[in-house]
Amino acid sequence: MASRSVLASRIGIASRYPRKSIRQPTRLLSTSVPPPKQAAVPAARPSVQEQSWLTQRVKSNPVLYAIFLGAARALGYGSPKQFANRRALHMYNTLCATRADQEADFWKNECALPPTFQSWFAVTNLHVWLLTVRLRALPAPHGLNHIQGLIDHFFQDVEERLRAVLQPGVLPPQYASYLSPYPHSAFYTFPSPIPSPDTFSSPAAYAKAEKRARAPERLVTRHMKILKEQWTGLGMSMDLGLVRGDTDMAAAIWRNLLGGRGARGISLPGQGGRFRRSVNLVGGLVEKVEKLDVDAEEAKDDQSGVYDFEANESHRYIAYPELMQALVTYVRREALRLEGLPDEVILGSRVVGREGEGVNKLKWG
């Protein structure tokens, strides 16, 4: 079993392109050593909405503030579920949604994940699961309430981001002034929205462009189902690896995070390699597995950016065991660290308006 302590250094991971030496010193994910300044573009924090005059008046008057809190509690604002939901929002925004941006260099270069929404989802999904493992140990009903709140925020954020990718710049009028509670990500590029109606020659031309920019709802629904399956699959396989050992956990990481590269063999130079990607035969877009031509599907580029390394990059597989060991060590180290934190730190102060206090104490590594 791999050591759960913080590794002082990482064995080199091969670069994306051939070079004279395939081994070079690299850093461990989330070590105490500060990462290079140029490693990742920090995710932009969500813009802070200016407080209204009514909010300022209520906060400045202790009597009005007490009356407001009393009315809020009567309406269920201070219930255990509401507390857990707001606490889970701070946990998700601080610990999960920004993780891909914080370690962008590691995920993109060493793990060879393309800068896409799918890669962001995979990294975020891993950390949602890791946080869920600790939340399960909370006493009832706090554990279930916090897990439900975390998953709710995760998929609400995922749907918002998915719509921003599939339907860029096109929102129903009732959502025109909507301010998302979730942080922006620079890990992947958002499609450019359609120009304003004033730039089109006629309303009909704008309507045509808007229709082309908006993906049909059935496509959004289909992708949400696929992402739900990926969330379920990663959770079950990582739970199994957590119990069985590092070998099973490394296999789960290889399948669910690293794209299962090399599952059907490795193409070597001089052997006439071809494009090949892994195909999920259960769920997703595959409805009738028996009618699927697996070889033909594996040869199709689904534009995900995750596919087997080509023959001239086959040397990258040499470092794959070391990469999976580093990821397994990271997961077990963080799970052990969270296990050592008291429940009071996880739950926070449980005071209205202070749900985000202490979340920084849970930060990875």
Side-chain angles (χ1 to χ4, degrees), residues 264 267 271-277 294-300 307-311:
R264 296 288 298 275
S267 299
Q271 295 183 353
R274 62 183 180 86
F275 178 89
R276 183 169 56 200
R277 65 182 178 91
V294 178
D295 292 333
E297 288 296 324
E298 287 181 338
K300 292 180 181 178
Y307 47 84
D308 288 5
F309 294 125
E310 298 178 1

Side-chain angles (χ1 to χ4, degrees), residues 76-79 81-91 149 153 351-353 355-356:
Y77 186 78
S79 66
K81 286 187 177 181
Q82 288 289 335
F83 265 117
N85 187 275
R86 295 193 297 275
R87 178 70 172 178
L89 173 61
H90 289 281
M91 289 182 175
H153 286 299
V351 176
V352 175
E355 293 86 355

Side-chain angles (χ1 to χ4, degrees), residues 111-114 254 258-263 278 305-309 317 320:
C111 295
L113 296 180
W254 171 65
L258 302 178
R261 287 188 173 99
S278 297
V306 180
Y307 47 84
D308 288 5
F309 294 125
Y317 286 112
Y320 244 45

Side-chain angles (χ1 to χ4, degrees), residues 146-176:
H146 280 75
I147 291 174
Q148 186 63 60
L150 180 66
I151 302 306
D152 287 345
H153 286 299
F154 178 38
F155 276 99
Q156 182 176 338
D157 184 25
V158 166
E159 183 175 358
E160 287 186 13
R161 295 175 188 271
L162 184 61
R163 291 184 180 278
V165 171
L166 297 180
Q167 302 171 339
V170 182
L171 288 174
Q174 61 267 31
Y175 297 117

Side-chain angles (χ1 to χ4, degrees), residues 67-315:
I67 294 175
F68 171 78
L69 292 182
R73 293 190 185 96
L75 295 174
Y77 186 78
S79 66
K81 286 187 177 181
Q82 288 289 335
F83 265 117
N85 187 275
R86 295 193 297 275
R87 178 70 172 178
L89 173 61
H90 289 281
M91 289 182 175
Y92 173 74
N93 284 347
T94 304
L95 304 174
C96 304
T98 56
R99 195 57 180 146
D101 293 85
Q102 292 168 354
E103 298 285 351
D105 181 68
F106 176 82
W107 305 117
K108 293 179 181 180
N109 297 328
E110 300 186 32
C111 295
L113 296 180
T116 61
F117 167 75
Q118 175 61 54
S119 297
W120 174 91
F121 175 85
V123 174
T124 306
N125 191 18
L126 174 66
H127 290 86
V128 167
W129 169 83
L130 192 54
L131 186 57
T132 301
V133 171
R134 178 60 181 89
L135 296 179
R136 292 174 191 161
L138 293 176
H142 301 301
L144 183 60
N145 290 341
H146 280 75
I147 291 174
Q148 186 63 60
L150 180 66
I151 302 306
D152 287 345
H153 286 299
F154 178 38
F155 276 99
Q156 182 176 338
D157 184 25
V158 166
E159 183 175 358
E160 287 186 13
R161 295 175 188 271
L162 184 61
R163 291 184 180 278
V165 171
L166 297 180
Q167 302 171 339
V170 182
L171 288 174
Q174 61 267 31
Y175 297 117
S177 59
Y178 172 72
L179 181 64
S180 175
Y182 308 111
H184 173 76
S185 175
F187 185 84
Y188 60 96
T189 303
F190 288 88
S192 301
I194 60 175
S196 62
D198 301 337
T199 61
F200 288 85
S201 58
S202 65
Y206 175 76
K208 186 177 181 180
E210 184 182 32
K211 184 178 180 180
R212 290 180 176 178
R214 175 182 287 275
E217 283 297 315
R218 66 178 181 274
L219 185 61
V220 176
T221 302
R222 179 188 299 174
H223 275 76
M224 286 299 298
K225 290 181 178 179
I226 294 174
L227 295 175
K228 178 180 178 295
E229 291 173 358
Q230 293 179 8
W231 166 72
T232 305
L234 180 138
M236 294 182 64
S237 59
M238 292 297 289
D239 283 344
L240 188 64
L242 198 63
V243 175
R244 286 189 173 182
D246 290 354
T247 302
D248 289 85
M249 181 173 289
I253 290 175
W254 171 65
R255 293 192 307 268
N256 294 277
L257 183 65
L258 302 178
R261 287 188 173 99
R264 296 288 298 275
I266 299 175
S267 299
L268 299 177
Q271 295 183 353
R274 62 183 180 86
F275 178 89
R276 183 169 56 200
R277 65 182 178 91
S278 297
V279 177
N280 181 15
L281 297 179
V282 181
L285 300 177
V286 182
E287 298 179 356
K288 297 182 179 180
V289 178
E290 65 277 3
K291 295 185 178 181
L292 180 69
D293 187 346
V294 178
D295 292 333
E297 288 296 324
E298 287 181 338
K300 292 180 181 178
D301 188 357
D302 62 353
Q303 304 300 318
S304 67
V306 180
Y307 47 84
D308 288 5
F309 294 125
E310 298 178 1
N312 62 345
E313 294 183 307
S314 58
H315 61 276

